[in-house]
PDB file of all heavy atoms in Angstrom:
ATOM      1  N   SER A   4      -4.152  -5.126  13.226  1.00  0.00           N
ATOM      2  CA  SER A   4      -4.003  -4.005  12.351  1.00  0.00           C
ATOM      3  C   SER A   4      -2.687  -3.249  12.726  1.00  0.00           C
ATOM      4  O   SER A   4      -1.889  -2.821  11.836  1.00  0.00           O
ATOM      5  CB  SER A   4      -5.159  -3.033  12.460  1.00  0.00           C
ATOM      6  OG  SER A   4      -6.379  -3.607  12.032  1.00  0.00           O
ATOM      7  N   VAL A   5      -2.448  -3.033  14.032  1.00  0.00           N
ATOM      8  CA  VAL A   5      -1.271  -2.330  14.476  1.00  0.00           C
ATOM      9  C   VAL A   5       0.018  -3.120  14.149  1.00  0.00           C
ATOM     10  O   VAL A   5       0.996  -2.594  13.707  1.00  0.00           O
ATOM     11  CB  VAL A   5      -1.364  -2.003  15.981  1.00  0.00           C
ATOM     12  CG1 VAL A   5      -0.037  -1.403  16.468  1.00  0.00           C
ATOM     13  CG2 VAL A   5      -2.459  -1.035  16.243  1.00  0.00           C
ATOM     14  N   ALA A   6      -0.055  -4.437  14.344  1.00  0.00           N
ATOM     15  CA  ALA A   6       1.123  -5.273  14.102  1.00  0.00           C
ATOM     16  C   ALA A   6       1.495  -5.258  12.573  1.00  0.00           C
ATOM     17  O   ALA A   6       2.668  -5.092  12.223  1.00  0.00           O
ATOM     18  CB  ALA A   6       0.824  -6.708  14.501  1.00  0.00           C
ATOM     19  N   LEU A   7       0.483  -5.348  11.719  1.00  0.00           N
ATOM     20  CA  LEU A   7       0.712  -5.276  10.310  1.00  0.00           C
ATOM     21  C   LEU A   7       1.294  -3.880   9.866  1.00  0.00           C
ATOM     22  O   LEU A   7       2.200  -3.758   9.072  1.00  0.00           O
ATOM     23  CB  LEU A   7      -0.526  -5.541   9.533  1.00  0.00           C
ATOM     24  CG  LEU A   7      -1.046  -7.011   9.533  1.00  0.00           C
ATOM     25  CD1 LEU A   7      -2.398  -7.083   8.866  1.00  0.00           C
ATOM     26  CD2 LEU A   7      -0.018  -7.915   8.868  1.00  0.00           C
ATOM     27  N   PHE A   8       0.737  -2.816  10.563  1.00  0.00           N
ATOM     28  CA  PHE A   8       1.267  -1.471  10.317  1.00  0.00           C
ATOM     29  C   PHE A   8       2.728  -1.383  10.674  1.00  0.00           C
ATOM     30  O   PHE A   8       3.538  -0.846   9.882  1.00  0.00           O
ATOM     31  CB  PHE A   8       0.447  -0.443  11.070  1.00  0.00           C
ATOM     32  CG  PHE A   8       1.075   0.902  11.114  1.00  0.00           C
ATOM     33  CD1 PHE A   8       1.106   1.679   9.958  1.00  0.00           C
ATOM     34  CD2 PHE A   8       1.633   1.393  12.252  1.00  0.00           C
ATOM     35  CE1 PHE A   8       1.731   2.946  10.020  1.00  0.00           C
ATOM     36  CE2 PHE A   8       2.220   2.626  12.343  1.00  0.00           C
ATOM     37  CZ  PHE A   8       2.263   3.424  11.224  1.00  0.00           C
ATOM     38  N   LEU A   9       3.071  -1.850  11.809  1.00  0.00           N
ATOM     39  CA  LEU A   9       4.487  -1.774  12.258  1.00  0.00           C
ATOM     40  C   LEU A   9       5.425  -2.583  11.316  1.00  0.00           C
ATOM     41  O   LEU A   9       6.547  -2.232  11.136  1.00  0.00           O
ATOM     42  CB  LEU A   9       4.653  -2.294  13.682  1.00  0.00           C
ATOM     43  CG  LEU A   9       3.912  -1.433  14.746  1.00  0.00           C
ATOM     44  CD1 LEU A   9       4.068  -2.081  16.122  1.00  0.00           C
ATOM     45  CD2 LEU A   9       4.494  -0.039  14.815  1.00  0.00           C
ATOM     46  N   ALA A  10       4.881  -3.640  10.815  1.00  0.00           N
ATOM     47  CA  ALA A  10       5.711  -4.463   9.815  1.00  0.00           C
ATOM     48  C   ALA A  10       5.878  -3.794   8.497  1.00  0.00           C
ATOM     49  O   ALA A  10       6.948  -3.864   7.833  1.00  0.00           O
ATOM     50  CB  ALA A  10       5.063  -5.820   9.687  1.00  0.00           C
ATOM     51  N   LEU A  11       4.821  -3.026   8.043  1.00  0.00           N
ATOM     52  CA  LEU A  11       4.816  -2.351   6.772  1.00  0.00           C
ATOM     53  C   LEU A  11       5.497  -1.039   6.771  1.00  0.00           C
ATOM     54  O   LEU A  11       6.076  -0.565   5.743  1.00  0.00           O
ATOM     55  CB  LEU A  11       3.412  -2.273   6.247  1.00  0.00           C
ATOM     56  CG  LEU A  11       2.635  -3.553   5.887  1.00  0.00           C
ATOM     57  CD1 LEU A  11       1.213  -3.273   5.561  1.00  0.00           C
ATOM     58  CD2 LEU A  11       3.322  -4.239   4.661  1.00  0.00           C
ATOM     59  N   ALA A  12       5.380  -0.307   7.910  1.00  0.00           N
ATOM     60  CA  ALA A  12       5.829   1.138   7.920  1.00  0.00           C
ATOM     61  C   ALA A  12       7.213   1.315   7.492  1.00  0.00           C
ATOM     62  O   ALA A  12       7.523   2.294   6.734  1.00  0.00           O
ATOM     63  CB  ALA A  12       5.629   1.653   9.377  1.00  0.00           C
ATOM     64  N   PRO A  13       8.223   0.500   7.863  1.00  0.00           N
ATOM     65  CA  PRO A  13       9.636   0.724   7.401  1.00  0.00           C
ATOM     66  C   PRO A  13       9.798   0.642   5.921  1.00  0.00           C
ATOM     67  O   PRO A  13      10.774   1.164   5.348  1.00  0.00           O
ATOM     68  CB  PRO A  13      10.419  -0.297   8.181  1.00  0.00           C
ATOM     69  CG  PRO A  13       9.601  -0.787   9.313  1.00  0.00           C
ATOM     70  CD  PRO A  13       8.228  -0.635   8.800  1.00  0.00           C
ATOM     71  N   PHE A  14       8.862   0.032   5.232  1.00  0.00           N
ATOM     72  CA  PHE A  14       8.994  -0.198   3.806  1.00  0.00           C
ATOM     73  C   PHE A  14       7.984   0.571   2.999  1.00  0.00           C
ATOM     74  O   PHE A  14       7.731   0.375   1.832  1.00  0.00           O
ATOM     75  CB  PHE A  14       8.825  -1.691   3.456  1.00  0.00           C
ATOM     76  CG  PHE A  14       9.715  -2.578   4.284  1.00  0.00           C
ATOM     77  CD1 PHE A  14       9.194  -3.267   5.400  1.00  0.00           C
ATOM     78  CD2 PHE A  14      11.070  -2.744   4.010  1.00  0.00           C
ATOM     79  CE1 PHE A  14       9.942  -4.103   6.155  1.00  0.00           C
ATOM     80  CE2 PHE A  14      11.831  -3.536   4.751  1.00  0.00           C
ATOM     81  CZ  PHE A  14      11.351  -4.242   5.870  1.00  0.00           C
ATOM     82  N   ALA A  15       7.333   1.585   3.650  1.00  0.00           N
ATOM     83  CA  ALA A  15       6.237   2.286   2.992  1.00  0.00           C
ATOM     84  C   ALA A  15       6.706   3.051   1.723  1.00  0.00           C
ATOM     85  O   ALA A  15       5.870   3.203   0.763  1.00  0.00           O
ATOM     86  CB  ALA A  15       5.658   3.331   3.960  1.00  0.00           C
ATOM     87  N   LYS A  16       7.943   3.424   1.629  1.00  0.00           N
ATOM     88  CA  LYS A  16       8.409   4.134   0.453  1.00  0.00           C
ATOM     89  C   LYS A  16       8.911   3.228  -0.665  1.00  0.00           C
ATOM     90  O   LYS A  16       9.346   3.693  -1.695  1.00  0.00           O
ATOM     91  CB  LYS A  16       9.571   5.078   0.820  1.00  0.00           C
ATOM     92  CG  LYS A  16       9.180   6.169   1.843  1.00  0.00           C
ATOM     93  CD  LYS A  16      10.389   7.028   2.133  1.00  0.00           C
ATOM     94  CE  LYS A  16      10.059   8.046   3.280  1.00  0.00           C
ATOM     95  NZ  LYS A  16       9.019   8.987   2.822  1.00  0.00           N
ATOM     96  N   LEU A  17       8.783   1.947  -0.433  1.00  0.00           N
ATOM     97  CA  LEU A  17       9.250   0.939  -1.465  1.00  0.00           C
ATOM     98  C   LEU A  17       8.430   1.067  -2.715  1.00  0.00           C
ATOM     99  O   LEU A  17       7.142   0.908  -2.710  1.00  0.00           O
ATOM    100  CB  LEU A  17       9.156  -0.475  -0.933  1.00  0.00           C
ATOM    101  CG  LEU A  17       9.555  -1.586  -1.861  1.00  0.00           C
ATOM    102  CD1 LEU A  17      11.059  -1.519  -2.106  1.00  0.00           C
ATOM    103  CD2 LEU A  17       9.136  -2.908  -1.272  1.00  0.00           C
ATOM    104  N   PRO A  18       9.003   1.470  -3.864  1.00  0.00           N
ATOM    105  CA  PRO A  18       8.182   1.598  -5.107  1.00  0.00           C
ATOM    106  C   PRO A  18       7.704   0.266  -5.664  1.00  0.00           C
ATOM    107  O   PRO A  18       8.399  -0.742  -5.578  1.00  0.00           O
ATOM    108  CB  PRO A  18       9.170   2.215  -6.087  1.00  0.00           C
ATOM    109  CG  PRO A  18      10.519   1.814  -5.601  1.00  0.00           C
ATOM    110  CD  PRO A  18      10.432   1.775  -4.082  1.00  0.00           C
ATOM    111  N   LEU A  19       6.472   0.264  -6.043  1.00  0.00           N
ATOM    112  CA  LEU A  19       5.862  -0.977  -6.640  1.00  0.00           C
ATOM    113  C   LEU A  19       5.309  -0.651  -8.017  1.00  0.00           C
ATOM    114  O   LEU A  19       5.351   0.488  -8.443  1.00  0.00           O
ATOM    115  CB  LEU A  19       4.689  -1.471  -5.743  1.00  0.00           C
ATOM    116  CG  LEU A  19       5.106  -1.877  -4.335  1.00  0.00           C
ATOM    117  CD1 LEU A  19       3.852  -2.326  -3.553  1.00  0.00           C
ATOM    118  CD2 LEU A  19       6.097  -3.006  -4.326  1.00  0.00           C
ATOM    119  N   ALA A  20       4.874  -1.659  -8.719  1.00  0.00           N
ATOM    120  CA  ALA A  20       4.356  -1.452 -10.063  1.00  0.00           C
ATOM    121  C   ALA A  20       3.128  -0.599 -10.070  1.00  0.00           C
ATOM    122  O   ALA A  20       2.289  -0.669  -9.145  1.00  0.00           O
ATOM    123  CB  ALA A  20       3.979  -2.847 -10.705  1.00  0.00           C
ATOM    124  N   LYS A  21       2.955   0.265 -11.094  1.00  0.00           N
ATOM    125  CA  LYS A  21       1.770   1.175 -11.217  1.00  0.00           C
ATOM    126  C   LYS A  21       0.665   0.323 -11.794  1.00  0.00           C
ATOM    127  O   LYS A  21       0.708  -0.227 -12.830  1.00  0.00           O
ATOM    128  CB  LYS A  21       2.110   2.341 -12.106  1.00  0.00           C
ATOM    129  CG  LYS A  21       3.121   3.297 -11.580  1.00  0.00           C
ATOM    130  CD  LYS A  21       3.324   4.488 -12.547  1.00  0.00           C
ATOM    131  CE  LYS A  21       4.322   5.484 -11.914  1.00  0.00           C
ATOM    132  NZ  LYS A  21       4.524   6.624 -12.757  1.00  0.00           N
ATOM    133  N   VAL A  22      -0.423   0.264 -10.982  1.00  0.00           N
ATOM    134  CA  VAL A  22      -1.635  -0.449 -11.400  1.00  0.00           C
ATOM    135  C   VAL A  22      -2.850   0.516 -11.263  1.00  0.00           C
ATOM    136  O   VAL A  22      -3.550   0.496 -10.257  1.00  0.00           O
ATOM    137  CB  VAL A  22      -1.843  -1.714 -10.552  1.00  0.00           C
ATOM    138  CG1 VAL A  22      -3.039  -2.489 -11.095  1.00  0.00           C
ATOM    139  CG2 VAL A  22      -0.606  -2.546 -10.467  1.00  0.00           C
ATOM    140  N   PRO A  23      -3.065   1.357 -12.234  1.00  0.00           N
ATOM    141  CA  PRO A  23      -4.177   2.297 -12.207  1.00  0.00           C
ATOM    142  C   PRO A  23      -5.537   1.603 -11.980  1.00  0.00           C
ATOM    143  O   PRO A  23      -6.421   2.190 -11.330  1.00  0.00           O
ATOM    144  CB  PRO A  23      -4.139   3.026 -13.493  1.00  0.00           C
ATOM    145  CG  PRO A  23      -2.674   2.912 -13.965  1.00  0.00           C
ATOM    146  CD  PRO A  23      -2.244   1.573 -13.466  1.00  0.00           C
ATOM    147  N   ALA A  24      -5.672   0.429 -12.536  1.00  0.00           N
ATOM    148  CA  ALA A  24      -6.994  -0.337 -12.365  1.00  0.00           C
ATOM    149  C   ALA A  24      -7.281  -0.584 -10.913  1.00  0.00           C
ATOM    150  O   ALA A  24      -8.466  -0.678 -10.524  1.00  0.00           O
ATOM    151  CB  ALA A  24      -6.918  -1.630 -13.143  1.00  0.00           C
ATOM    152  N   PHE A  25      -6.223  -0.660 -10.081  1.00  0.00           N
ATOM    153  CA  PHE A  25      -6.396  -0.882  -8.624  1.00  0.00           C
ATOM    154  C   PHE A  25      -7.247   0.269  -8.026  1.00  0.00           C
ATOM    155  O   PHE A  25      -8.142   0.010  -7.192  1.00  0.00           O
ATOM    156  CB  PHE A  25      -5.053  -1.054  -7.929  1.00  0.00           C
ATOM    157  CG  PHE A  25      -5.162  -1.023  -6.417  1.00  0.00           C
ATOM    158  CD1 PHE A  25      -5.476  -2.218  -5.731  1.00  0.00           C
ATOM    159  CD2 PHE A  25      -4.956   0.158  -5.676  1.00  0.00           C
ATOM    160  CE1 PHE A  25      -5.526  -2.202  -4.383  1.00  0.00           C
ATOM    161  CE2 PHE A  25      -5.018   0.153  -4.298  1.00  0.00           C
ATOM    162  CZ  PHE A  25      -5.357  -1.059  -3.637  1.00  0.00           C
ATOM    163  N   ILE A  26      -6.942   1.508  -8.452  1.00  0.00           N
ATOM    164  CA  ILE A  26      -7.625   2.651  -7.908  1.00  0.00           C
ATOM    165  C   ILE A  26      -9.171   2.585  -8.252  1.00  0.00           C
ATOM    166  O   ILE A  26      -9.990   2.833  -7.395  1.00  0.00           O
ATOM    167  CB  ILE A  26      -7.015   3.949  -8.445  1.00  0.00           C
ATOM    168  CG1 ILE A  26      -5.545   3.998  -8.027  1.00  0.00           C
ATOM    169  CG2 ILE A  26      -7.791   5.210  -7.918  1.00  0.00           C
ATOM    170  CD1 ILE A  26      -5.353   4.034  -6.572  1.00  0.00           C
ATOM    171  N   GLY A  27      -9.473   2.244  -9.518  1.00  0.00           N
ATOM    172  CA  GLY A  27     -10.819   2.217  -9.890  1.00  0.00           C
ATOM    173  C   GLY A  27     -11.615   1.095  -9.129  1.00  0.00           C
ATOM    174  O   GLY A  27     -12.701   1.344  -8.615  1.00  0.00           O
ATOM    175  N   ALA A  28     -11.002  -0.089  -8.974  1.00  0.00           N
ATOM    176  CA  ALA A  28     -11.626  -1.152  -8.212  1.00  0.00           C
ATOM    177  C   ALA A  28     -11.766  -0.747  -6.754  1.00  0.00           C
ATOM    178  O   ALA A  28     -12.846  -0.990  -6.149  1.00  0.00           O
ATOM    179  CB  ALA A  28     -10.817  -2.436  -8.370  1.00  0.00           C
ATOM    180  N   TYR A  29     -10.734  -0.169  -6.171  1.00  0.00           N
ATOM    181  CA  TYR A  29     -10.750   0.260  -4.770  1.00  0.00           C
ATOM    182  C   TYR A  29     -11.811   1.273  -4.539  1.00  0.00           C
ATOM    183  O   TYR A  29     -12.643   1.214  -3.595  1.00  0.00           O
ATOM    184  CB  TYR A  29      -9.356   0.791  -4.405  1.00  0.00           C
ATOM    185  CG  TYR A  29      -9.309   1.731  -3.246  1.00  0.00           C
ATOM    186  CD1 TYR A  29      -9.450   1.223  -1.924  1.00  0.00           C
ATOM    187  CD2 TYR A  29      -9.149   3.078  -3.428  1.00  0.00           C
ATOM    188  CE1 TYR A  29      -9.417   2.075  -0.847  1.00  0.00           C
ATOM    189  CE2 TYR A  29      -9.118   3.941  -2.345  1.00  0.00           C
ATOM    190  CZ  TYR A  29      -9.253   3.455  -1.076  1.00  0.00           C
ATOM    191  OH  TYR A  29      -9.191   4.297   0.005  1.00  0.00           O
ATOM    192  N   GLN A  30     -11.872   2.364  -5.390  1.00  0.00           N
ATOM    193  CA  GLN A  30     -12.804   3.396  -5.143  1.00  0.00           C
ATOM    194  C   GLN A  30     -14.231   2.895  -5.329  1.00  0.00           C
ATOM    195  O   GLN A  30     -15.147   3.288  -4.551  1.00  0.00           O
ATOM    196  CB  GLN A  30     -12.584   4.559  -6.133  1.00  0.00           C
ATOM    197  CG  GLN A  30     -11.254   5.170  -6.066  1.00  0.00           C
ATOM    198  CD  GLN A  30     -11.000   6.048  -4.867  1.00  0.00           C
ATOM    199  OE1 GLN A  30     -10.207   5.699  -3.939  1.00  0.00           O
ATOM    200  NE2 GLN A  30     -11.697   7.158  -4.793  1.00  0.00           N
ATOM    201  N   SER A  31     -14.506   2.055  -6.352  1.00  0.00           N
ATOM    202  CA  SER A  31     -15.852   1.521  -6.554  1.00  0.00           C
ATOM    203  C   SER A  31     -16.315   0.711  -5.382  1.00  0.00           C
ATOM    204  O   SER A  31     -17.467   0.860  -4.956  1.00  0.00           O
ATOM    205  CB  SER A  31     -15.831   0.703  -7.835  1.00  0.00           C
ATOM    206  OG  SER A  31     -15.502   1.456  -8.969  1.00  0.00           O
TER     207      SER A  31
END
């Protein structure tokens, strides 16, 4: 988990496509 976090952290602000359906699936 920590290794993946360190790899992702520098790119956290990278904009990606808006997928509102992801939120519904994630929350459910």
Side-chain angles (χ1 to χ4, degrees):
S4 298
V5 172
L7 288 174
F8 166 71
L9 293 176
L11 293 170
F14 309 100
K16 298 181 185 297
L17 180 68
L19 298 178
K21 293 184 178 181
V22 186
F25 171 83
I26 300 299
Y29 157 76
Q30 301 287 112
S31 300

